[in-house]
Amino acid sequence: MKHTDSVEIQQFYARHMHLLDGGAAEAWARTFTPDATFAAPSMTEPVRGREDIAAGARAAVGRRAADAEVHRHCVTMTTAQETGDGIEAVSYVQILATRRHGAPRLLLSCVMRDRLVRQDGELLVAQRRISRDDRPHG
Amino acid sequence: MKHTDSVEIQQFYARHMHLLDGGAAEAWARTFTPDATFAAPSMTEPVRGREDIAAGARAAVGRRAADAEVHRHCVTMTTAQETGDGIEAVSYVQILATRRHGAPRLLLSCVMRDRLVRQDGELLVAQRRISRDDRPHG
Amino acid sequence: MKHTDSVEIQQFYARHMHLLDGGAAEAWARTFTPDATFAAPSMTEPVRGREDIAAGARAAVGRRAADAEVHRHCVTMTTAQETGDGIEAVSYVQILATRRHGAPRLLLSCVMRDRLVRQDGELLVAQRRISRDDRPHG
């Protein structure tokens, strides 16, 4: 992994999570490829495509608004390596939740395994698999 | 944003927060421009200038000492872009507090919006605006 | 510190902590120099050498398995400078612990002071000193 790519991946995740936490579900979905897949333990099968990824994000944004909570996805400890098929990036993700007048709490600790690809010069997520530390076997 | 700038900004924040958490109020204030402004929800109006910024930090250092607490400001997920007027850097900040023999706790989750400028080759904060996740509307 | 070194140090810590948290005690120990020293408040004297470092990691991995806990070491806010004798890197470390079906909790907040050296082109830890925020005087 070239150092420039490593820095660009960090910048990508910062932008990506600011969009999600800021409630910009559609713009967030556009940081995935059109046919991206997204798999998480809470899903019975992976979500596929920007439309369904955006729908999932909109639902999460709605739940946060209903709960009057602010969420922050903090991506750290990213390792990345080129494969024949893009960049395999593995990161830790902490999700912090804060209610109005409340203390922040750690909602989830996850590992995020992404296959990133470059389209028209931009990094996009082609495949995401989330594992939750509280469900070590899925 | 060039990659080198992005790395330099990260290095800047690391040094900057080591100074604050280490109790070096004056050295910390010198990482702001002489006429910098600092606005946070806890302030009725922004603080202006290194002297007042240092005074605020000294007061915070004193409170931590009185509480026998160690604080850590963890800056993550920084996005940065050049504007005509410097670099607009937006970061998540977690503040952790630990008492002697106690477990660390998350004190605050904030968003830090900085305008960084370069003076004599060094990055400095010219303007800082903090928003707290527990006070979503200020 | 050159920017490329700064990025490489981050990549090193990501790989390093993925190994530790993933239970790869031997591979983790090989990211230290053969004669590395490791000092932490919980030790009466520093551990020396890869074999003893691996033994300590294996014991920690065993305790986590017995507790059915997943741990994550999140290294942030790293400052680094060249000395005549390697790179002095100072970082914040958050240790998160998550039990099956439980919420993550902050186990420890630490400062990690490493002397990193380059051997055969690779960064390795030659000396590590950990201080815990809950034991400010060791």
Side-chain angles (χ1 to χ4, degrees), chain A residues 1-132:
Chain A
M1 180 59 47
K2 284 174 293 184
H3 290 156
T4 51
D5 289 336
S6 171
V7 174
E8 190 180 353
I9 291 166
Q10 271 198 331
Q11 293 175 329
F12 170 78
Y13 280 130
R15 229 168 41 234
H16 178 75
M17 292 305 188
H18 285 221
L19 289 172
L20 179 62
D21 296 331
E26 271 68 29
W28 184 69
R30 286 193 297 273
T31 62
F32 291 82
T33 60
D35 61 345
T37 57
F38 189 126
S42 53
M43 302 167 178
T44 49
E45 52 185 305
V47 164
R48 181 179 296 272
R50 284 178 176 169
E51 206 162 309
D52 287 357
I53 289 170
R58 269 196 309 273
V61 168
R63 284 191 300 273
R64 284 179 349 228
D67 291 345
E69 278 197 350
V70 174
H71 284 197
R72 301 288 169 204
H73 288 74
C74 297
V75 178
T76 63
M77 308 306 284
T78 301
T79 61
Q81 53 188 354
E82 294 276 356
T83 66
D85 204 25
I87 296 165
E88 186 75 22
V90 182
S91 307
Y92 292 174
V93 185
Q94 294 178 19
I95 308 178
L96 272 73
T98 308
R99 295 215 167 148
R100 176 183 276 274
H101 305 306
R105 63 189 201 283
L106 277 168
L107 203 63
L108 283 178
S109 172
C110 300
V111 174
M112 179 172 78
R113 288 178 176 79
D114 277 355
R115 186 164 60 80
L116 303 173
V117 295
R118 199 176 290 279
Q119 292 187 354
D120 303 324
E122 284 211 58
L123 287 177
L124 297 172
V125 182
Q127 186 182 28
R128 170 162 296 172
R129 288 163 296 152
I130 302 287
S131 62
R132 288 169 50 158

Side-chain angles (χ1 to χ4, degrees), chain C residues 10-85:
Chain C
Q10 271 198 331
Q11 293 175 328
F12 170 79
Y13 281 130
R15 230 169 38 236
H16 178 77
M17 292 306 187
H18 286 221
L19 289 171
L20 178 62
D21 296 330
E26 271 67 29
W28 183 70
R30 286 193 298 272
T31 62
F32 291 81
T33 61
D35 61 345
T37 57
F38 188 127
S42 53
M43 302 167 176
T44 49
E45 53 185 305
V47 164
R48 180 178 296 274
R50 283 177 176 171
E51 206 162 309
D52 288 356
I53 289 171
R58 269 196 309 273
V61 168
R63 284 191 300 272
R64 279 175 357 223
D67 292 344
E69 278 197 348
V70 174
H71 283 198
R72 301 286 169 205
H73 288 74
C74 296
V75 178
T76 62
M77 310 304 284
T78 302
T79 61
Q81 53 188 354
E82 294 276 357
T83 66
D85 204 24

Side-chain angles (χ1 to χ4, degrees), chain C residues 4 11 13 19 27-28 43 52-53 60 63 66 69 81 88 93 96 98 100 109 112 117-118 120 125 127 134:
Chain C
T4 51
Q11 293 175 328
Y13 281 130
L19 289 171
W28 183 70
M43 302 167 176
D52 288 356
I53 289 171
R63 284 191 300 272
E69 278 197 348
Q81 53 188 354
E88 185 76 22
V93 185
L96 272 72
T98 308
R100 177 184 277 272
S109 172
M112 180 172 78
V117 296
R118 199 176 290 280
D120 302 324
V125 182
Q127 187 184 26
D134 60 337

Side-chain angles (χ1 to χ4, degrees), chain B residues 79-95:
Chain B
T79 61
Q81 52 188 354
E82 293 276 356
T83 66
D85 203 26
I87 295 165
E88 184 76 23
V90 182
S91 308
Y92 292 173
V93 185
Q94 294 178 19
I95 309 178

Side-chain angles (χ1 to χ4, degrees), chain B residues 4 9 17 19 23 28 34 44 47 56 63 68 74 81 91 95 102-103 109 116 120 122-123 134-135:
Chain B
T4 50
I9 291 167
M17 291 307 187
L19 289 172
W28 184 69
T44 48
V47 165
R63 283 191 301 272
C74 297
Q81 52 188 354
S91 308
I95 309 178
S109 172
L116 304 173
D120 302 324
E122 284 213 56
L123 286 177
D134 60 336
R135 300 182 188 181

